[in-house]
Amino acid sequence: MITINHLYKSFDGVEVLTDVNAVFEEGKTNLIIGQSGSGKTVLMKCIVGLLRPDSGELFYGDTNFLTLRKSQQKKLRQKMGMIFQSAALFDSMTVLDNVMFPLNMFSHDTYRDRLRRANACIDRVNLSDATGKYPSELSGGMQKRVAIARSIVLNPRFLFCDEPNSGLDPKTSLVIDDLIHSITQEYNMTTIVNTHDMNSVMAIGEKVIFIHEGVKAWEGTKDTIFTAGNQTLNDFIFASDLFRKVKEVEIMQQEG
Amino acid sequence: MFKALHTTGRYLLLMRRTFSIPERMSVYGRQLLKEMEQLGINSIGIVLLISFFIGAVITIQIKLNIESPWMPRWTVGYVTREIMLLEFSSSIMCLILAGKVGSNIASELGTMRITQQIDALDIMGVNSAAFLILPKIVALVLMIPVLVTFSIFAGMIGAFATCWVGGIMTAANLEYGLQYWLTEWYLWSAYIKSFFFAFIIASVSSFFGYTVDGGSIEVGKASTNSVVACSALILFADIILTKLLTGL
Protein backbone atom coordinates (compact mmCIF):
# COMPACT_ATOMS: atom_id res chain seq x y z
CA MET A 1 0.00 0.00 0.00
CA ILE A 2 1.19 3.52 -0.79
CA THR A 3 -0.12 6.49 1.17
CA ILE A 4 0.34 10.15 0.31
CA ASN A 5 -0.38 12.86 2.88
CA HIS A 6 -0.53 16.59 2.14
CA LEU A 7 1.87 16.48 -0.81
CA TYR A 8 2.98 19.81 -2.29
CA LYS A 9 5.29 20.43 -5.22
CA SER A 10 6.14 23.61 -7.07
CA PHE A 11 8.55 24.68 -9.81
CA ASP A 12 9.98 28.22 -9.79
CA GLY A 13 7.22 29.41 -7.48
CA VAL A 14 4.42 27.85 -9.54
CA GLU A 15 2.51 25.29 -7.48
CA VAL A 16 1.99 22.10 -9.51
CA LEU A 17 0.64 19.84 -6.76
CA THR A 18 -1.43 21.21 -3.89
CA ASP A 19 -2.27 19.22 -0.78
CA VAL A 20 -2.66 15.86 -2.51
CA ASN A 21 -3.84 13.03 -0.26
CA ALA A 22 -4.35 9.50 -1.55
CA VAL A 23 -4.18 5.83 -0.64
CA PHE A 24 -3.17 3.33 -3.33
CA GLU A 25 -4.26 -0.14 -2.35
CA GLU A 26 -2.38 -3.42 -2.60
CA GLY A 27 -3.48 -5.97 -5.22
CA LYS A 28 -5.43 -3.30 -7.06
CA THR A 29 -4.88 -1.28 -10.20
CA ASN A 30 -4.97 2.33 -9.03
CA LEU A 31 -5.40 4.92 -11.76
CA ILE A 32 -4.44 8.57 -11.71
CA ILE A 33 -6.35 10.40 -14.41
CA GLY A 34 -6.42 13.99 -15.52
CA GLN A 35 -5.87 16.32 -18.43
CA SER A 36 -2.40 16.86 -19.89
CA GLY A 37 -0.61 19.34 -17.63
CA SER A 38 -2.81 18.60 -14.62
CA GLY A 39 0.17 17.38 -12.58
CA LYS A 40 -0.32 13.61 -12.71
CA THR A 41 3.16 12.89 -14.11
CA VAL A 42 4.71 15.17 -11.47
CA LEU A 43 2.72 13.28 -8.84
CA MET A 44 4.02 9.95 -10.12
CA LYS A 45 7.59 11.26 -10.27
CA CYS A 46 7.23 12.38 -6.64
CA ILE A 47 5.91 8.94 -5.67
CA VAL A 48 8.80 7.05 -7.30
CA GLY A 49 11.37 9.52 -5.99
CA LEU A 50 12.48 11.08 -9.27
CA LEU A 51 11.29 14.42 -7.85
CA ARG A 52 11.36 15.49 -4.21
CA PRO A 53 8.12 17.06 -2.97
CA ASP A 54 8.32 20.45 -1.24
CA SER A 55 6.39 19.04 1.71
CA GLY A 56 4.18 16.14 2.69
CA GLU A 57 4.54 12.48 3.52
CA LEU A 58 4.90 9.45 1.28
CA PHE A 59 4.52 6.03 2.87
CA TYR A 60 5.44 2.70 1.28
CA GLY A 61 3.66 0.41 3.71
CA ASP A 62 4.76 1.86 7.05
CA THR A 63 7.98 3.42 5.74
CA ASN A 64 8.13 7.13 5.00
CA PHE A 65 10.12 7.21 1.76
CA LEU A 66 11.04 10.87 2.13
CA THR A 67 12.83 10.41 5.46
CA LEU A 68 14.91 7.44 4.29
CA ARG A 69 18.62 7.76 3.61
CA LYS A 70 19.71 7.48 -0.04
CA SER A 71 21.04 3.96 0.47
CA GLN A 72 17.71 2.90 2.05
CA GLN A 73 15.77 4.53 -0.80
CA LYS A 74 17.95 2.58 -3.24
CA LYS A 75 17.07 -0.69 -1.49
CA LEU A 76 13.36 0.15 -1.56
CA ARG A 77 13.61 0.98 -5.24
CA GLN A 78 14.58 -2.61 -5.95
CA LYS A 79 11.00 -3.45 -4.96
CA MET A 80 9.62 -1.07 -7.57
CA GLY A 81 9.01 -1.64 -11.26
CA MET A 82 8.20 1.11 -13.70
CA ILE A 83 6.86 1.23 -17.23
CA PHE A 84 7.59 4.53 -18.93
CA GLN A 85 5.59 6.29 -21.61
CA SER A 86 8.47 5.67 -24.04
CA ALA A 87 9.12 2.13 -22.69
CA ALA A 88 12.70 3.33 -21.89
CA LEU A 89 14.35 0.10 -23.01
CA PHE A 90 18.13 0.10 -23.28
CA ASP A 91 18.84 0.53 -27.00
CA SER A 92 22.15 -1.31 -26.95
CA MET A 93 20.69 -4.46 -25.37
CA THR A 94 18.52 -7.24 -26.78
CA VAL A 95 15.12 -8.05 -25.32
CA LEU A 96 16.64 -10.81 -23.19
CA ASP A 97 19.46 -8.56 -21.95
CA ASN A 98 16.99 -5.80 -21.12
CA VAL A 99 14.88 -8.18 -19.04
CA MET A 100 17.93 -9.78 -17.43
CA PHE A 101 19.52 -6.45 -16.54
CA PRO A 102 17.87 -5.97 -13.10
CA LEU A 103 18.67 -9.61 -12.26
CA ASN A 104 22.31 -9.20 -13.29
CA MET A 105 22.50 -6.09 -11.15
CA PHE A 106 20.79 -7.24 -7.98
CA SER A 107 20.14 -10.98 -7.95
CA HIS A 108 22.56 -13.44 -6.37
CA ASP A 109 21.12 -16.39 -8.33
CA THR A 110 23.25 -18.40 -10.71
CA TYR A 111 23.33 -17.40 -14.37
CA ARG A 112 21.12 -20.37 -15.26
CA ASP A 113 18.46 -19.33 -12.72
CA ARG A 114 18.57 -15.73 -13.85
CA LEU A 115 18.17 -16.81 -17.46
CA ARG A 116 15.24 -19.06 -16.53
CA ARG A 117 13.55 -16.23 -14.62
CA ALA A 118 14.06 -13.73 -17.49
CA ASN A 119 12.69 -16.21 -20.03
CA ALA A 120 9.68 -16.89 -17.80
CA CYS A 121 8.89 -13.15 -17.69
CA ILE A 122 9.33 -12.84 -21.45
CA ASP A 123 6.99 -15.84 -21.89
CA ARG A 124 4.48 -14.15 -19.58
CA VAL A 125 4.20 -11.21 -21.97
CA ASN A 126 4.14 -13.53 -25.03
CA LEU A 127 7.43 -12.40 -26.53
CA SER A 128 9.37 -15.67 -26.60
CA ASP A 129 10.10 -15.23 -30.30
CA ALA A 130 11.69 -11.83 -29.81
CA THR A 131 14.36 -12.53 -27.18
CA GLY A 132 17.26 -11.82 -29.56
CA LYS A 133 15.79 -8.67 -31.06
CA TYR A 134 16.80 -5.10 -30.26
CA PRO A 135 14.22 -2.49 -29.14
CA SER A 136 14.47 -0.68 -32.50
CA GLU A 137 13.24 -3.87 -34.22
CA LEU A 138 10.06 -4.04 -32.10
CA SER A 139 6.67 -2.35 -32.47
CA GLY A 140 5.45 0.09 -29.81
CA GLY A 141 3.21 -2.54 -28.20
CA MET A 142 6.01 -5.09 -28.09
CA GLN A 143 8.34 -2.55 -26.50
CA LYS A 144 5.77 -1.89 -23.79
CA ARG A 145 5.46 -5.65 -23.18
CA VAL A 146 9.25 -5.93 -22.83
CA ALA A 147 9.10 -3.03 -20.36
CA ILE A 148 6.46 -4.94 -18.40
CA ALA A 149 8.61 -8.07 -18.40
CA ARG A 150 11.62 -6.06 -17.21
CA SER A 151 9.59 -4.37 -14.48
CA ILE A 152 8.34 -7.64 -12.97
CA VAL A 153 11.52 -9.67 -13.23
CA LEU A 154 12.56 -8.90 -9.63
CA ASN A 155 9.09 -9.70 -8.22
CA PRO A 156 8.37 -6.08 -7.31
CA ARG A 157 5.82 -5.03 -4.69
CA PHE A 158 5.04 -1.77 -6.45
CA LEU A 159 4.42 -1.20 -10.15
CA PHE A 160 4.21 2.24 -11.75
CA CYS A 161 2.99 2.83 -15.27
CA ASP A 162 3.25 6.27 -16.86
CA GLU A 163 0.85 6.52 -19.81
CA PRO A 164 1.39 2.86 -20.80
CA ASN A 165 -1.00 3.14 -23.76
CA SER A 166 0.46 6.29 -25.20
CA GLY A 167 0.93 5.91 -28.96
CA LEU A 168 -0.79 2.51 -29.15
CA ASP A 169 -3.88 1.51 -31.10
CA PRO A 170 -7.03 0.67 -29.07
CA LYS A 171 -6.64 -3.09 -29.50
CA THR A 172 -3.00 -3.16 -28.37
CA SER A 173 -3.93 -0.80 -25.53
CA LEU A 174 -6.42 -3.39 -24.29
CA VAL A 175 -3.74 -6.09 -24.38
CA ILE A 176 -1.41 -3.88 -22.30
CA ASP A 177 -4.21 -2.97 -19.86
CA ASP A 178 -5.15 -6.64 -19.40
CA LEU A 179 -1.52 -7.56 -18.87
CA ILE A 180 -1.00 -4.86 -16.23
CA HIS A 181 -4.21 -5.84 -14.46
CA SER A 182 -3.56 -9.59 -14.45
CA ILE A 183 0.06 -9.15 -13.36
CA THR A 184 -1.06 -6.88 -10.52
CA GLN A 185 -3.33 -9.62 -9.20
CA GLU A 186 -0.82 -12.39 -9.87
CA TYR A 187 1.97 -10.68 -7.91
CA ASN A 188 -0.40 -8.91 -5.46
CA MET A 189 1.34 -5.62 -6.21
CA THR A 190 0.31 -2.05 -5.56
CA THR A 191 -0.02 -0.75 -9.10
CA ILE A 192 -0.40 2.91 -10.04
CA VAL A 193 -1.22 3.78 -13.64
CA ASN A 194 -1.06 7.32 -14.96
CA THR A 195 -3.43 7.73 -17.88
CA HIS A 196 -5.87 9.96 -19.68
CA ASP A 197 -7.27 7.05 -21.68
CA MET A 198 -10.91 6.50 -20.63
CA ASN A 199 -10.89 3.01 -22.17
CA SER A 200 -8.21 2.07 -19.61
CA VAL A 201 -10.30 3.59 -16.84
CA MET A 202 -13.31 1.48 -17.82
CA ALA A 203 -11.20 -1.67 -18.27
CA ILE A 204 -8.96 -1.70 -15.19
CA GLY A 205 -9.91 1.25 -12.95
CA GLU A 206 -10.42 -0.50 -9.63
CA LYS A 207 -9.56 2.76 -7.94
CA VAL A 208 -9.49 6.07 -9.78
CA ILE A 209 -8.09 9.42 -8.64
CA PHE A 210 -8.82 12.50 -10.73
CA ILE A 211 -6.26 15.29 -10.61
CA HIS A 212 -7.29 18.74 -11.82
CA GLU A 213 -4.84 21.68 -11.80
CA GLY A 214 -2.66 19.93 -9.22
CA VAL A 215 -5.49 19.19 -6.81
CA LYS A 216 -7.19 15.85 -6.18
CA ALA A 217 -10.65 16.69 -7.44
CA TRP A 218 -12.34 13.29 -7.22
CA GLU A 219 -11.78 9.71 -6.04
CA GLY A 220 -13.84 6.61 -6.84
CA THR A 221 -13.99 3.51 -9.05
CA LYS A 222 -14.80 2.76 -12.68
CA ASP A 223 -18.34 1.91 -11.56
CA THR A 224 -18.97 5.27 -9.91
CA ILE A 225 -17.16 7.52 -12.37
CA PHE A 226 -20.12 7.84 -14.78
CA THR A 227 -22.48 8.96 -12.06
CA ALA A 228 -20.07 11.32 -10.33
CA GLY A 229 -21.48 14.78 -9.73
CA ASN A 230 -18.11 16.49 -10.10
CA GLN A 231 -18.35 19.01 -12.95
CA THR A 232 -14.63 19.13 -13.82
CA LEU A 233 -14.52 15.32 -13.90
CA ASN A 234 -17.59 15.23 -16.15
CA ASP A 235 -16.00 17.82 -18.45
CA PHE A 236 -12.94 15.59 -18.68
CA ILE A 237 -14.76 12.29 -19.22
CA PHE A 238 -17.45 13.50 -21.58
CA ALA A 239 -15.10 15.53 -23.76
CA SER A 240 -15.34 12.50 -26.05
CA ASP A 241 -18.47 12.07 -28.23
CA LEU A 242 -18.41 8.33 -27.61
CA PHE A 243 -18.67 8.66 -23.85
CA ARG A 244 -21.33 11.40 -24.13
CA LYS A 245 -23.45 9.01 -26.20
CA VAL A 246 -22.81 6.12 -23.81
CA LYS A 247 -24.05 8.29 -20.95
CA GLU A 248 -27.16 9.35 -22.90
CA VAL A 249 -27.98 5.69 -23.61
CA GLU A 250 -27.44 4.82 -19.96
CA ILE A 251 -29.75 7.61 -18.79
CA MET A 252 -32.38 6.56 -21.34
CA GLN A 253 -32.17 2.97 -20.11
CA GLN A 254 -32.51 4.12 -16.49
CA GLU A 255 -35.57 6.16 -17.42
CA GLY A 256 -37.05 3.03 -18.98
CA MET B 1 30.71 34.03 -13.55
CA PHE B 2 27.93 32.75 -11.29
CA LYS B 3 26.76 30.37 -14.05
CA ALA B 4 30.31 29.01 -14.48
CA LEU B 5 30.57 28.37 -10.73
CA HIS B 6 27.14 26.75 -10.71
CA THR B 7 28.11 24.46 -13.62
CA THR B 8 31.41 23.55 -11.93
CA GLY B 9 29.53 22.69 -8.75
CA ARG B 10 27.09 20.47 -10.62
CA TYR B 11 30.01 18.79 -12.42
CA LEU B 12 31.76 18.07 -9.11
CA LEU B 13 28.56 16.68 -7.58
CA LEU B 14 28.11 14.40 -10.59
CA MET B 15 31.72 13.21 -10.27
CA ARG B 16 31.09 12.44 -6.59
CA ARG B 17 28.16 10.24 -7.61
CA THR B 18 30.22 8.72 -10.42
CA PHE B 19 33.14 7.64 -8.26
CA SER B 20 31.22 5.38 -5.93
CA ILE B 21 31.41 1.66 -5.29
CA PRO B 22 29.79 -0.31 -8.12
CA GLU B 23 26.67 -2.34 -7.23
CA ARG B 24 27.87 -5.39 -9.17
CA MET B 25 31.49 -5.55 -10.33
CA SER B 26 30.88 -8.13 -13.08
CA VAL B 27 28.25 -5.96 -14.81
CA TYR B 28 30.54 -2.93 -14.60
CA GLY B 29 33.39 -5.06 -15.96
CA ARG B 30 31.35 -6.01 -19.03
CA GLN B 31 30.37 -2.37 -19.48
CA LEU B 32 34.05 -1.38 -19.24
CA LEU B 33 35.05 -3.80 -22.00
CA LYS B 34 32.25 -2.48 -24.20
CA GLU B 35 33.37 1.10 -23.64
CA MET B 36 37.02 0.22 -24.29
CA GLU B 37 35.96 -1.10 -27.67
CA GLN B 38 33.63 1.78 -28.45
CA LEU B 39 35.83 4.65 -27.26
CA GLY B 40 39.31 3.20 -27.77
CA ILE B 41 39.45 0.46 -30.40
CA ASN B 42 36.98 2.24 -32.69
CA SER B 43 39.14 5.38 -32.55
CA ILE B 44 42.34 3.68 -33.71
CA GLY B 45 41.46 4.15 -37.39
CA ILE B 46 41.05 7.93 -37.22
CA VAL B 47 44.11 8.29 -34.97
CA LEU B 48 46.26 6.34 -37.45
CA LEU B 49 44.93 8.25 -40.44
CA ILE B 50 45.39 11.73 -38.99
CA SER B 51 48.73 10.97 -37.33
CA PHE B 52 50.14 9.49 -40.55
CA PHE B 53 49.32 12.57 -42.61
CA ILE B 54 50.32 15.05 -39.90
CA GLY B 55 53.66 13.23 -39.50
CA ALA B 56 54.21 13.50 -43.25
CA VAL B 57 53.19 17.17 -43.44
CA ILE B 58 55.35 18.15 -40.43
CA THR B 59 58.37 16.52 -42.09
CA ILE B 60 57.75 18.32 -45.40
CA GLN B 61 57.20 21.69 -43.68
CA ILE B 62 60.32 21.41 -41.54
CA LYS B 63 62.39 20.30 -44.47
CA LEU B 64 61.09 23.29 -46.45
CA ASN B 65 61.49 25.89 -43.73
CA ILE B 66 64.65 25.07 -41.83
CA GLU B 67 66.82 23.42 -44.48
CA SER B 68 70.10 25.24 -44.64
CA PRO B 69 73.71 24.26 -45.25
CA TRP B 70 74.36 25.23 -41.64
CA MET B 71 71.84 22.79 -40.23
CA PRO B 72 72.68 19.11 -39.71
CA ARG B 73 70.74 16.75 -42.02
CA TRP B 74 69.17 14.92 -39.11
CA THR B 75 67.44 18.09 -37.81
CA VAL B 76 64.24 17.35 -39.75
CA GLY B 77 63.84 13.91 -38.12
CA TYR B 78 64.73 15.26 -34.68
CA VAL B 79 62.21 18.13 -34.83
CA THR B 80 59.50 15.89 -36.28
CA ARG B 81 59.94 13.44 -33.40
CA GLU B 82 59.85 16.16 -30.78
CA ILE B 83 56.69 17.71 -32.22
CA MET B 84 54.94 14.34 -32.45
CA LEU B 85 56.01 13.32 -28.96
CA LEU B 86 55.56 16.57 -27.08
CA GLU B 87 52.45 18.01 -28.63
CA PHE B 88 50.76 16.23 -31.49
CA SER B 89 50.33 12.67 -30.22
CA SER B 90 49.27 13.76 -26.75
CA SER B 91 47.55 17.15 -26.94
CA ILE B 92 46.39 17.63 -30.53
CA MET B 93 45.34 14.00 -30.85
CA CYS B 94 43.23 14.42 -27.69
CA LEU B 95 41.67 17.56 -29.19
CA ILE B 96 40.66 15.43 -32.17
CA LEU B 97 39.33 12.74 -29.82
CA ALA B 98 37.35 15.40 -27.94
CA GLY B 99 35.47 15.88 -31.20
CA LYS B 100 34.97 12.22 -31.99
CA VAL B 101 34.64 10.56 -28.59
CA GLY B 102 33.32 13.58 -26.66
CA SER B 103 30.40 14.23 -28.98
CA ASN B 104 29.68 10.49 -29.08
CA ILE B 105 29.48 10.29 -25.27
CA ALA B 106 27.41 13.48 -24.90
CA SER B 107 24.88 12.49 -27.55
CA GLU B 108 24.61 8.89 -26.27
CA LEU B 109 23.94 9.97 -22.68
CA GLY B 110 21.74 12.86 -23.79
CA THR B 111 19.56 10.51 -25.83
CA MET B 112 19.37 8.11 -22.89
CA ARG B 113 18.25 11.01 -20.72
CA ILE B 114 15.48 12.25 -23.03
CA THR B 115 14.20 8.73 -23.69
CA GLN B 116 13.99 8.14 -19.91
CA GLN B 117 16.54 5.29 -19.94
CA ILE B 118 18.49 7.05 -17.18
CA ASP B 119 15.28 7.47 -15.14
CA ALA B 120 14.66 3.73 -15.63
CA LEU B 121 18.10 2.95 -14.16
CA ASP B 122 17.50 5.28 -11.20
CA ILE B 123 14.13 3.71 -10.42
CA MET B 124 15.66 0.23 -10.50
CA GLY B 125 17.98 1.42 -7.73
CA VAL B 126 21.06 1.54 -9.97
CA ASN B 127 23.45 4.47 -9.51
CA SER B 128 23.01 5.65 -13.11
CA ALA B 129 25.89 8.13 -12.94
CA ALA B 130 28.35 5.46 -11.80
CA PHE B 131 27.01 2.79 -14.15
CA LEU B 132 27.08 4.98 -17.26
CA ILE B 133 29.99 7.37 -16.66
CA LEU B 134 32.58 5.48 -14.59
CA PRO B 135 33.24 2.78 -17.24
CA LYS B 136 33.62 5.49 -19.89
CA ILE B 137 36.21 7.40 -17.85
CA VAL B 138 38.16 4.27 -16.91
CA ALA B 139 37.97 2.91 -20.48
CA LEU B 140 39.30 6.08 -22.07
CA VAL B 141 42.05 6.53 -19.48
CA LEU B 142 43.13 2.91 -20.07
CA MET B 143 42.97 3.16 -23.84
CA ILE B 144 44.66 6.54 -24.26
CA PRO B 145 48.27 5.22 -23.93
CA VAL B 146 47.48 2.76 -26.72
CA LEU B 147 46.13 5.56 -28.92
CA VAL B 148 49.11 7.81 -28.13
CA THR B 149 51.51 4.99 -29.01
CA PHE B 150 49.70 4.30 -32.27
CA SER B 151 49.73 8.01 -33.04
CA ILE B 152 53.48 8.35 -32.46
CA PHE B 153 54.26 5.36 -34.68
CA ALA B 154 51.81 6.41 -37.40
CA GLY B 155 53.41 9.87 -37.39
CA MET B 156 56.87 8.32 -37.80
CA ILE B 157 55.64 6.13 -40.67
CA GLY B 158 54.12 9.23 -42.28
CA ALA B 159 57.49 10.96 -41.95
CA PHE B 160 59.23 7.98 -43.59
CA ALA B 161 56.62 7.98 -46.35
CA THR B 162 57.84 11.44 -47.40
CA CYS B 163 61.27 9.88 -47.90
CA TRP B 164 60.14 6.68 -49.60
CA VAL B 165 57.38 8.11 -51.77
CA GLY B 166 58.18 11.83 -51.97
CA GLY B 167 61.95 11.44 -51.90
CA ILE B 168 62.41 14.73 -50.02
CA MET B 169 65.39 13.36 -48.07
CA THR B 170 67.05 10.04 -47.38
CA ALA B 171 65.39 7.66 -44.96
CA ALA B 172 68.74 7.17 -43.22
CA ASN B 173 68.99 10.88 -42.37
CA LEU B 174 65.42 10.90 -41.09
CA GLU B 175 65.99 7.76 -39.04
CA TYR B 176 69.14 9.23 -37.50
CA GLY B 177 67.22 12.37 -36.55
CA LEU B 178 64.32 10.39 -35.10
CA GLN B 179 66.73 8.47 -32.87
CA TYR B 180 68.97 11.41 -31.99
CA TRP B 181 69.17 12.40 -28.30
CA LEU B 182 65.86 10.88 -27.27
CA THR B 183 64.79 12.07 -23.82
CA GLU B 184 62.78 9.25 -22.31
CA TRP B 185 60.96 11.65 -20.00
CA TYR B 186 59.31 13.32 -23.03
CA LEU B 187 57.65 10.02 -23.82
CA TRP B 188 56.40 9.69 -20.25
CA SER B 189 55.18 13.28 -20.21
CA ALA B 190 53.17 12.57 -23.39
CA TYR B 191 51.47 9.68 -21.62
CA ILE B 192 50.92 11.64 -18.39
CA LYS B 193 49.35 14.54 -20.28
CA SER B 194 47.11 12.20 -22.25
CA PHE B 195 45.77 10.62 -19.00
CA PHE B 196 44.58 14.03 -17.85
CA PHE B 197 43.11 14.84 -21.26
CA ALA B 198 41.31 11.47 -21.39
CA PHE B 199 39.74 12.21 -18.01
CA ILE B 200 38.65 15.65 -19.22
CA ILE B 201 37.12 14.26 -22.44
CA ALA B 202 35.20 11.43 -20.77
CA SER B 203 34.01 13.28 -17.66
CA VAL B 204 33.14 16.65 -19.19
CA SER B 205 31.28 15.21 -22.18
CA SER B 206 29.47 12.78 -19.84
CA PHE B 207 28.42 15.76 -17.71
CA PHE B 208 26.98 17.59 -20.70
CA GLY B 209 25.13 14.48 -21.92
CA TYR B 210 23.89 13.30 -18.53
CA THR B 211 22.43 16.68 -17.60
CA VAL B 212 20.49 17.26 -20.83
CA ASP B 213 17.04 18.65 -20.20
CA GLY B 214 14.63 18.80 -23.11
CA GLY B 215 14.56 17.15 -26.52
CA SER B 216 16.69 16.44 -29.57
CA ILE B 217 17.75 20.09 -30.00
CA GLU B 218 19.17 20.09 -26.47
CA VAL B 219 21.03 16.83 -27.20
CA GLY B 220 22.62 18.51 -30.23
CA LYS B 221 23.55 21.54 -28.13
CA ALA B 222 25.00 19.34 -25.40
CA SER B 223 27.11 17.53 -27.97
CA THR B 224 28.47 20.82 -29.37
CA ASN B 225 29.00 22.33 -25.91
CA SER B 226 30.88 19.26 -24.76
CA VAL B 227 33.33 19.47 -27.68
CA VAL B 228 33.88 23.21 -27.09
CA ALA B 229 34.32 22.79 -23.33
CA CYS B 230 36.63 19.76 -23.69
CA SER B 231 38.78 21.54 -26.27
CA ALA B 232 39.12 24.67 -24.13
CA LEU B 233 39.92 22.65 -21.02
CA ILE B 234 42.47 20.48 -22.86
CA LEU B 235 44.27 23.55 -24.19
CA PHE B 236 44.23 25.19 -20.75
CA ALA B 237 45.41 21.99 -19.04
CA ASP B 238 48.10 21.59 -21.72
CA ILE B 239 49.76 24.85 -20.71
CA ILE B 240 49.80 23.93 -17.02
CA LEU B 241 50.91 20.33 -17.60
CA THR B 242 53.61 21.31 -20.09
CA LYS B 243 54.95 23.86 -17.60
CA LEU B 244 54.90 21.32 -14.76
CA LEU B 245 56.26 18.37 -16.71
CA THR B 246 59.09 20.22 -18.46
CA GLY B 247 60.05 22.06 -15.28
CA LEU B 248 60.56 25.36 -17.11
Side-chain angles (χ1 to χ4, degrees), chain A residues 88-91 93-102 135 146 150:
Chain A
L89 300 178
F90 304 126
D91 298 326
M93 297 183 193
T94 62
V95 167
L96 181 65
D97 291 338
N98 261 286
V99 177
M100 270 189 86
F101 182 79
V146 178
R150 186 178 67 181

Side-chain angles (χ1 to χ4, degrees), chain A residues 20-109:
Chain A
V20 178
N21 296 282
V23 176
F24 301 102
E25 291 166 36
E26 199 171 73
K28 281 191 178 174
T29 317
N30 303 272
L31 266 60
I32 303 172
I33 62 168
Q35 283 176 297
S36 300
S38 59
K40 54 187 192 304
T41 300
V42 174
L43 176 60
M44 181 163 275
K45 283 188 172 177
C46 286
I47 296 171
V48 298
L50 285 177
L51 289 174
R52 190 167 179 85
D54 298 338
S55 63
E57 292 175 323
L58 168 62
F59 287 95
Y60 278 80
D62 299 326
T63 314
N64 189 348
F65 185 76
L66 300 175
T67 57
L68 291 178
R69 284 203 306 270
K70 283 219 162 147
S71 56
Q72 292 171 315
Q73 285 187 352
K74 244 173 100 172
K75 277 222 160 120
L76 185 59
R77 283 206 170 115
Q78 288 164 29
K79 294 176 185 166
M80 298 180 196
M82 182 147 182
I83 300 154
F84 287 89
Q85 195 172 347
S86 59
L89 300 178
F90 304 126
D91 298 326
S92 57
M93 297 183 193
T94 62
V95 167
L96 181 65
D97 291 338
N98 261 286
V99 177
M100 270 189 86
F101 182 79
L103 289 168
N104 290 338
M105 217 63 190
F106 300 112
S107 167
H108 295 283
D109 293 342

Side-chain angles (χ1 to χ4, degrees), chain B residues 101-187:
Chain B
V101 175
S103 63
N104 175 299
I105 292 174
S107 51
E108 182 192 324
L109 292 182
T111 307
M112 287 187 79
R113 168 65 74 193
I114 65 165
T115 55
Q116 298 180 302
Q117 292 175 51
I118 293 179
D119 288 344
L121 284 169
D122 285 331
I123 286 172
M124 281 176 205
V126 176
N127 179 349
S128 59
F131 178 72
L132 294 171
I133 301 173
L134 187 60
K136 288 186 197 302
I137 293 174
V138 177
L140 199 58
V141 169
L142 287 176
M143 287 306 293
I144 209 78
V146 177
L147 295 175
V148 168
T149 309
F150 273 103
S151 171
I152 293 168
F153 278 100
M156 303 294 168
I157 293 167
F160 274 112
T162 60
C163 304
W164 297 325
V165 182
I168 66 161
M169 61 190 289
T170 65
N173 281 339
L174 180 75
E175 188 186 342
Y176 186 78
L178 288 173
Q179 291 177 345
Y180 184 76
W181 203 5
L182 174 67
T183 313
E184 197 186 327
W185 173 245
Y186 287 173
L187 196 61

Side-chain angles (χ1 to χ4, degrees), chain B residues 25-74:
Chain B
M25 217 42 136
S26 58
V27 180
Y28 275 67
R30 276 200 294 276
Q31 190 76 358
L32 175 66
L33 290 177
K34 205 185 89 188
E35 297 295 354
M36 284 173 79
E37 187 198 347
Q38 195 179 325
L39 305 179
I41 308 286
N42 291 350
S43 300
I44 288 176
I46 192 167
V47 166
L48 288 178
L49 186 77
I50 292 173
S51 302
F52 176 86
F53 284 106
I54 293 292
V57 169
I58 287 172
T59 311
I60 293 168
Q61 289 284 12
I62 290 166
K63 171 78 179 162
L64 186 73
N65 286 290
I66 67 167
E67 191 184 46
S68 139
W70 304 101
M71 295 290 264
R73 286 173 184 170
W74 47 261

Side-chain angles (χ1 to χ4, degrees), chain A residues 111-178:
Chain A
Y111 176 77
R112 190 175 289 182
D113 289 340
R114 279 181 276 148
L115 188 63
R116 194 178 299 135
R117 171 70 188 148
N119 278 321
C121 290
I122 292 170
D123 276 350
R124 180 67 188 81
V125 296
N126 297 320
L127 278 176
S128 310
D129 299 336
T131 47
K133 288 188 176 169
Y134 285 90
S136 58
E137 298 171 296
L138 304 175
S139 68
M142 288 164 90
Q143 288 186 14
K144 293 280 165 67
R145 281 191 279 158
V146 178
I148 293 172
R150 186 178 67 181
S151 65
I152 59 168
V153 78
L154 283 175
N155 288 317
R157 285 183 53 209
F158 310 98
L159 181 67
F160 303 96
C161 313
D162 187 21
E163 308 267 8
N165 296 334
S166 161
L168 300 181
D169 63 90
K171 207 174 168 184
T172 312
S173 298
L174 277 178
V175 173
I176 299 294
D177 283 341
D178 282 346

